[in-house]
Amino acid sequence: MLKETRRTDPEIAQLCDEELYRQEHTIEMIASESSVPLPVMELSGSVFTNKTLEGYPGSRFQAGYGVADKMETLAVERAKELFGAEAVNIQAYSGSTANYSVFATILKPGDKVLSMRLDQGGHLTHGSPANWVSGFYDFSFYPINPESELIDYDALEKMANEVKPKLIIAGASSYSRLMDYERISKIAKAVGAYFMVDMAHISGLVAAKVIPSPVPYADFVTSSTTKTLCSARSGFVICKKEHEKMLKKGTFPGALGSIHLHTMAAKAWTFKYAASEEFRNIMLKVVENARKLSSELAARGFRVISGGTDNHLFVIDLTSKGITGKQYQEVMDSVGMSINKNMIPFDQQSPLVTSGARVGVTAITERGMGDEEMVKIADLMTRVAENIDNQEVLDQVKKEVQELIVKFPMYPADYFKD
Ligand SMILES: *Cc1c(COP(=O)(O)O)cnc(C)c1O
């Protein structure tokens, strides 16, 4: 696959080989990660990357659109079928740009938006002070209940009545529970707000019908395609038929430029594959593994935020182990296990330090791991947390990580050889 790169630039080819080695030898538990099936990798590098095209099938700004029109139409039809959607816009480059194109479609500068706070599970693009949207629109944030660590729907309703937002956003990067989309959609309707669900993390689970879908309830559903959907680095937006026309304009020319046809082809492949029994079984196992790993960790003295998980991820509070998220992330990485530091609700530490870590099981489940491996990983994670300064223990853990991971190859060994 890298034949011409090896011939012309051994230095960058070497870095590709090193990255493949790193991935093959890492227990990857960053919740946003997954490994793509090989056709997704091939299509992401396909000749579609050469074509510059703006507009939509049937109404393009450049010549040479015939084949691309067929491909975009196929991708959209497959996505509609997969998610039971009335309309889909497939042009977003990522989850973030999917959100920006919805904002460009329905919001004016200064408009009010109600969303979930970053430190309680939300995403940067939902109005974090660190993101440009916070200076452009007027964001308020609904809280979670400090006891249950679940969304406080009564508080959300009260805030919606007070703020009268133009848009209410649900969806998160580190929330391990199901959301009551029906209730939020009723609240939105009552105050005359649009309702958008950002399903970036969970779209694979939704596609496989393993957890409930937001599609029937939301005006707009945005998603990244790189998380549980296990596809190219890209995104898409689903909407109600009545919003389709304005979303088209809001996306192009409203927010984006020429289409990324190569990742669009990869998404088209995924929208077919995600309807298969094979993909559904992987997603079922993802949820099972997340439950298993979180309960095994809880049994070893970690506090799991909200007490468990209904999806592919969960957040652990490391306070009881006397370490920070930053420390844990670094030391885990040094022994070949990848997680990320994460704020816990009402965290006393800064976002760069944090009191918690987020754990996701999509990537290791794709590689074939199950119950037995979750028990082993819980054991390894506990030994790291409890021996953060003990190099002897860490060296032993590192050895056991390698013994485990090499039994579950990510890709056929010879695929990337030439
Ligand atoms: C990851 C994520 C995004 C951004 O997706 P990218 O593809 O990384 O741009 C948006 N929203 C949520 C909730 C996410 O978790």
Side-chain angles (χ1 to χ4, degrees):
M1 199 190 183
L2 293 171
K3 205 156 88 190
E4 283 304 301
T5 309
R6 290 190 200 294
R7 191 176 68 75
T8 54
D9 190 343
E11 197 178 357
I12 196 78
Q14 168 70 21
L15 291 177
C16 265
D17 290 343
E18 282 175 29
E19 178 61 10
L20 175 63
Y21 185 89
R22 187 194 68 80
Q23 291 181 15
E24 285 283 3
H25 290 265
T26 300
I27 297 181
E28 181 51 74
M29 294 181 286
I30 294 177
S32 20
E33 298 215 11
S34 55
S35 39
V36 302
L38 289 171
V40 168
M41 204 165 296
E42 291 177 359
L43 290 164
S44 298
S46 66
V47 291
F48 277 116
T49 201
N50 293 336
K51 182 75 198 104
T52 298
L53 206 56
E54 295 167 325
Y56 292 93
S59 155
R60 300 293 194 183
F61 286 79
Q62 295 84 4
Y65 49 76
V67 182
D69 277 13
K70 278 193 249 174
M71 199 267 287
E72 182 165 358
T73 305
L74 182 64
V76 167
E77 286 311 312
R78 285 180 177 178
K80 279 166 69 175
E81 168 91 26
L82 181 65
F83 291 103
E86 294 175 14
V88 178
N89 189 305
I90 202 78
Q91 297 199 352
Y93 310 142
S94 65
S96 309
T97 48
N99 289 345
Y100 299 152
S101 49
V102 172
F103 298 165
T105 300
I106 56 174
L107 299 178
K108 298 235 170 352
D111 273 351
K112 292 176 178 161
V113 185
L114 183 58
S115 70
M116 188 182 216
R117 270 170 59 140
L118 181 66
D119 64 336
Q120 301 187 352
H123 187 255
L124 284 165
T125 55
H126 298 182
S128 154
N131 190 282
W132 69 273
V133 297
S134 67
F136 220 69
Y137 310 115
D138 181 5
F139 282 88
S140 309
F141 302 94
Y142 54 84
I144 60 168
N145 179 306
E147 301 290 310
S148 65
E149 299 176 309
L150 304 176
I151 292 174
D152 185 339
Y153 294 95
D154 293 334
L156 194 165
E157 183 163 18
K158 196 159 160 270
M159 283 190 78
N161 280 312
E162 283 165 14
V163 172
K164 298 260 180 294
K166 181 92 175 277
L167 171 68
I168 297 179
I169 304 176
S173 304
S174 55
Y175 189 76
S176 63
R177 297 304 193 169
L178 303 177
M179 290 184 187
D180 190 343
Y181 304 124
E182 188 174 5
R183 173 134 193 225
I184 306 177
S185 80
K186 283 185 181 148
I187 295 170
K189 215 163 251 135
V191 300
Y194 289 108
F195 178 35
M196 174 182 124
V197 175
D198 178 346
M199 64 168 180
H201 259 271
I202 55 170
S203 53
L205 302 172
V206 170
K209 301 183 171 54
V210 168
I211 61 172
S213 171
V215 171
Y217 304 105
D219 293 292
F220 298 91
V221 178
T222 59
S223 187
S224 154
T225 43
T226 60
K227 297 172 183 178
T228 49
L229 198 54
C230 307
S231 190
R233 302 218 74 82
S234 196
F236 63 96
V237 183
I238 291 168
C239 72
K240 295 286 182 223
K241 191 78 192 161
E242 64 195 279
H243 305 319
E244 184 178 22
K245 227 169 132 188
M246 70 172 177
L247 177 65
K248 273 188 168 173
K249 266 174 61 185
T251 302
F252 177 86
L256 307 180
S258 65
I259 311 165
H260 293 187
L261 284 165
H262 56 315
T263 50
M264 187 182 280
K267 284 184 280 188
W269 183 89
T270 296
F271 293 141
K272 179 166 180 241
Y273 173 65
S276 70
E277 210 42 39
E278 181 180 305
F279 185 72
R280 181 172 154 81
N281 286 334
I282 295 170
M283 291 294 114
L284 281 167
K285 194 69 201 168
V286 162
V287 174
E288 220 178 278
N289 279 345
R291 288 219 173 105
K292 180 72 180 172
L293 183 55
S294 65
S295 67
E296 291 292 325
L297 287 170
R300 288 166 177 76
F302 289 87
R303 191 176 78 83
V304 178
I305 302 303
S306 84
T309 177
D310 302 318
N311 56 30
H312 63 301
L313 64 76
F314 55 90
V315 175
I316 46 178
D317 177 354
L318 298 165
T319 318
S320 65
K321 301 287 180 193
I323 54 175
T324 67
K326 181 173 189 282
Q327 272 178 309
Y328 195 49
Q329 173 178 320
E330 279 166 16
V331 179
M332 283 281 282
D333 191 44
S334 77
V335 300
M337 289 191 281
S338 203
I339 46 114
N340 65 276
K341 62 180 182 246
N342 208 93
M343 308 275 274
I344 59 171
F346 312 100
D347 206 323
Q348 301 300 309
Q349 300 278 6
S350 82
L352 289 175
V353 178
T354 82
S355 305
R358 188 181 65 163
V359 181
V361 300
T362 313
I364 53 177
T365 306
E366 284 181 276
R367 292 174 75 151
M369 291 191 186
D371 273 22
E372 198 183 313
E373 289 74 33
M374 296 307 115
V375 176
K376 177 70 186 173
I377 290 171
D379 176 53
L380 294 167
M381 288 176 71
T382 308
R383 281 154 66 195
V384 173
E386 292 174 357
N387 296 277
I388 208 93
D389 293 319
N390 186 337
Q391 199 53 46
E392 207 175 310
V393 173
L394 296 177
D395 287 344
Q396 179 58 30
V397 168
K398 188 172 180 173
K399 195 166 144 263
E400 291 175 37
V401 164
Q402 287 312 308
E403 283 164 10
L404 176 63
I405 197 70
V406 296
K407 286 192 264 173
F408 297 91
M410 198 165 72
Y411 290 121
D414 57 354
Y415 185 80
F416 296 95
K417 283 274 162 57
D418 60 25

